Amino acid sequence: MFLADCQARLAFDLLAPTWNAVVVCALRHGPRRPGELRAEIGGISPKVLTETLRRLEANGLVARRAYAEAPPRVEYELTELGQTLLGPIQAVGKWALDHAEDVLAAQDRWEESLETSS
Amino acid sequence: MFLADCQARLAFDLLAPTWNAVVVCALRHGPRRPGELRAEIGGISPKVLTETLRRLEANGLVARRAYAEAPPRVEYELTELGQTLLGPIQAVGKWALDHAEDVLAAQDRWEESLETSS
DNA sequence: TCCGTTAGGCACCGAATGGTGCGCGATGCG
DNA sequence: CGCATCGCGCACCATTCGGTGCCTAACGGA
């Protein structure tokens, strides 16, 4: 597992872009419109949100539904495949909540050691 | 969870660089020297390996031990914090093994639809 | 008629990541 | 002496990702 060309790498490519996991998580309770996602997530620009949704769609994690109305209405929702990803994502999220302090403390120690040595 | 400034984002920043999770996993059975890691992982350049190890060290996930010998000898091993990350990493890896086919099939469908529409 | 709303395309920029190639220092071996 | 080994630093390059700003299409309301 996890050698150079292992399939397990595929999942990390999916989760690597900053907002992918955030958007998947924001969709966990059902379909959402882009405007709702922007409001709920906060701090994501419209361009990046559509890019993120396109990536997720290209990998079969979300489905896009457009309605021929005006003003235009679009909804995104998790596919079955996307929902199976919620478990691993939340496992990582839980680890972060449990150990964020340790990581931040380690980062501080690292900064200090850089100053000391310079 | 997973709003713009949530702590959970921290873990994804840790796992985002391509090789971080691979290297953490390669260290799961004890200390390793850089040369061993390069051979075991395969496909990673020396520069990128040291960069990856520096990042992991800066976040308190691995510890570096240098021995004053010649030729120089260096060992890296997981810290306690690094070992706690093995669980979530393997949860994601297991998802990838279980669903890699679905993702690849979705990617193929996406490519096809691009050709059709163009 | 003019404006706001909604989704999203396009041009451009800056930072991070990954990769190649070259070099250094210190030692052991032929 | 000359060379290989090992870890690692530096210069340089290409790609990706995130971000800002500007524009379009289509309709409803003032």
Side-chain angles (χ1 to χ4, degrees), chain B residues 6-18:
Chain B
C6 176
Q7 278 185 324
R9 302 266 308 269
L10 188 148
F12 291 96
D13 293 339
L14 255 60
L15 296 179
T18 308

Side-chain angles (χ1 to χ4, degrees), chain A residues 33 35 54 64 71-72 74 76:
Chain A
R33 302 178 60 180
R54 287 283 176 284
R64 184 185 119 107
V74 175
Y76 294 90

Side-chain angles (χ1 to χ4, degrees), chain B:
Chain B
M1 192 176 181
F2 283 116
L3 304 189
D5 54 351
C6 176
Q7 278 185 324
R9 302 266 308 269
L10 188 148
F12 291 96
D13 293 339
L14 255 60
L15 296 179
T18 308
W19 299 101
N20 277 18
V22 181
V23 170
V24 168
C25 232
L27 289 172
R28 68 186 179 285
H29 294 315
R32 289 288 183 278
R33 302 180 59 182
E36 294 173 318
L37 290 174
R38 280 202 305 276
E40 189 176 341
I41 293 173
I44 184 172
S45 71
K47 194 202 75 164
V48 175
L49 177 61
T50 52
E51 282 177 351
T52 302
L53 290 165
R54 287 282 176 285
R55 272 197 303 266
L56 296 174
E57 197 187 353
N59 288 286
L61 298 177
V62 308
R64 186 186 120 107
R65 275 206 306 267
Y67 300 85
E69 303 174 0
R73 191 162 67 94
V74 176
E75 279 182 354
Y76 295 89
E77 68 176 333
L78 290 182
T79 61
E80 283 188 29
L81 181 60
Q83 290 182 23
T84 64
L85 191 52
L86 283 174
I89 284 179
Q90 289 178 353
V92 176
K94 182 175 186 328
W95 180 91
L97 296 179
D98 290 345
H99 300 91
E101 278 187 45
D102 299 322
V103 174
L104 295 176
Q107 287 173 353
D108 287 346
R109 279 197 302 276
W110 186 256
E111 300 274 333
E112 266 179 46
S113 69
L114 286 185
E115 290 170 15
T116 310
S117 67
S118 65

